[in-house]
Amino acid sequence: TIGPFELGDKLGVGGMGVVYRATYTKTGIACAIKVLAPDVNDSPGVQQRFEREIAILKKLQHPHIVRYYGGGRVGSQRFYAMELVQGGSLEQHLKKRGKLPWKEALGLVRQVAEALEHAHTAGVIHRDLKPANLLLAPDGKLKLTDFGIARDTTATALTAAGKTVGTYAYMAPEQIRGKPPVDRRTDLYALGCVLFEMLAGEPPFDSDNPGELLVKHLQDDPPRVTSFAPECPIWLEEMVFKLLEKDPEERYYD
């Protein structure tokens, strides 16, 4: 147990914490608990980042963003509770199914776009949009989660300028270079990578070598979606290409 919560099985492990299935013992309601990993629990920087993640989640109330329920500490152990989305991540979903029909992919990406619009309006850039951070409920509703490295443009930046954070397969050129500054269009590039993967069954750029993968994001043109999914309409392929423009100015404005 931690505070008034009884922990169940482990749902995921991130750079900062471990997420468990849990039950709120006072009401029996199921939820998810993120606990700060013991090996980083004493680091002031990590504690600060964890507190910031909580502050961001409190601020973002949207049907397509995981809901924050409350947080605290027991002894030196920090944690917070959030909505439990039963159904696994989009990453798990794609592993099972390979790729999705274009209309289904478009329905999902629309939900992510609504979540991003809400976050961006509140001054929050996610910076780590990927299928593993998109949770899919059994009713088809999608929820954005894990604001662990999100940047709140209305608060002081914790991540040092030019320090690369994020996940390589979905990382925009400006995030890799550290310039121009990361903004909402950085999330839109990642959205393009996610949409490409839903349609094609694999991300636009791939390599076992991280350095090579980053160079591909910086220099290579993405392959044609229609070469993987011939039934994908040309206008949708063009939308993906616009999201994946190297220069943020060439992408959609919002």
mmCIF file of all heavy atoms in Angstrom, residues 30-31 34 87 197 222 228 230:
data_model
loop_
_atom_site.group_PDB
_atom_site.id
_atom_site.type_symbol
_atom_site.label_atom_id
_atom_site.label_comp_id
_atom_site.label_asym_id
_atom_site.label_seq_id
_atom_site.Cartn_x
_atom_site.Cartn_y
_atom_site.Cartn_z
ATOM 1 N N ALA A 30 -10.853 1.743 -9.006
ATOM 2 C CA ALA A 30 -9.571 1.400 -9.637
ATOM 3 C C ALA A 30 -8.937 2.658 -10.221
ATOM 4 O O ALA A 30 -9.632 3.530 -10.746
ATOM 5 C CB ALA A 30 -9.800 0.372 -10.736
ATOM 6 N N CYS A 31 -7.617 2.756 -10.123
ATOM 7 C CA CYS A 31 -6.897 3.900 -10.697
ATOM 8 C C CYS A 31 -5.482 3.449 -11.032
ATOM 9 O O CYS A 31 -5.136 2.281 -10.874
ATOM 10 C CB CYS A 31 -6.886 5.071 -9.721
ATOM 11 S SG CYS A 31 -6.064 4.701 -8.164
ATOM 12 N N LYS A 34 1.413 6.563 -10.176
ATOM 13 C CA LYS A 34 2.799 6.740 -10.614
ATOM 14 C C LYS A 34 3.645 7.038 -9.382
ATOM 15 O O LYS A 34 3.357 7.979 -8.643
ATOM 16 C CB LYS A 34 2.917 7.878 -11.630
ATOM 17 C CG LYS A 34 4.312 7.984 -12.251
ATOM 18 C CD LYS A 34 4.306 8.908 -13.456
ATOM 19 C CE LYS A 34 5.628 8.887 -14.198
ATOM 20 N NZ LYS A 34 5.574 9.674 -15.443
ATOM 21 N N GLY A 87 -7.272 -1.063 -21.399
ATOM 22 C CA GLY A 87 -7.270 -1.338 -22.841
ATOM 23 C C GLY A 87 -5.884 -1.285 -23.454
ATOM 24 O O GLY A 87 -5.698 -1.616 -24.617
ATOM 25 N N GLU A 197 2.870 5.792 -38.727
ATOM 26 C CA GLU A 197 2.982 4.426 -38.196
ATOM 27 C C GLU A 197 1.633 3.709 -38.169
ATOM 28 O O GLU A 197 1.551 2.513 -38.453
ATOM 29 C CB GLU A 197 3.598 4.474 -36.793
ATOM 30 C CG GLU A 197 3.917 3.100 -36.242
ATOM 31 C CD GLU A 197 4.725 3.135 -34.961
ATOM 32 O OE1 GLU A 197 5.223 4.203 -34.566
ATOM 33 O OE2 GLU A 197 4.873 2.061 -34.347
ATOM 34 N N PRO A 222 10.718 11.378 -45.805
ATOM 35 C CA PRO A 222 9.998 10.166 -45.397
ATOM 36 C C PRO A 222 9.537 9.385 -46.634
ATOM 37 O O PRO A 222 9.300 9.981 -47.685
ATOM 38 C CB PRO A 222 8.800 10.705 -44.612
ATOM 39 C CG PRO A 222 8.641 12.118 -45.039
ATOM 40 C CD PRO A 222 9.985 12.603 -45.474
ATOM 41 N N PHE A 228 3.163 1.668 -48.539
ATOM 42 C CA PHE A 228 2.827 0.675 -47.504
ATOM 43 C C PHE A 228 1.318 0.409 -47.470
ATOM 44 O O PHE A 228 0.884 -0.668 -47.117
ATOM 45 C CB PHE A 228 3.243 1.175 -46.110
ATOM 46 C CG PHE A 228 4.706 1.429 -45.952
ATOM 47 C CD1 PHE A 228 5.250 2.685 -46.203
ATOM 48 C CD2 PHE A 228 5.557 0.421 -45.524
ATOM 49 C CE1 PHE A 228 6.610 2.927 -46.032
ATOM 50 C CE2 PHE A 228 6.920 0.656 -45.352
ATOM 51 C CZ PHE A 228 7.440 1.909 -45.619
ATOM 52 N N PRO A 230 -1.626 1.210 -50.013
ATOM 53 C CA PRO A 230 -2.096 1.748 -51.297
ATOM 54 C C PRO A 230 -3.484 2.378 -51.230
ATOM 55 O O PRO A 230 -3.802 3.265 -52.026
ATOM 56 C CB PRO A 230 -2.101 0.520 -52.217
ATOM 57 C CG PRO A 230 -1.209 -0.479 -51.558
ATOM 58 C CD PRO A 230 -1.284 -0.211 -50.096
#
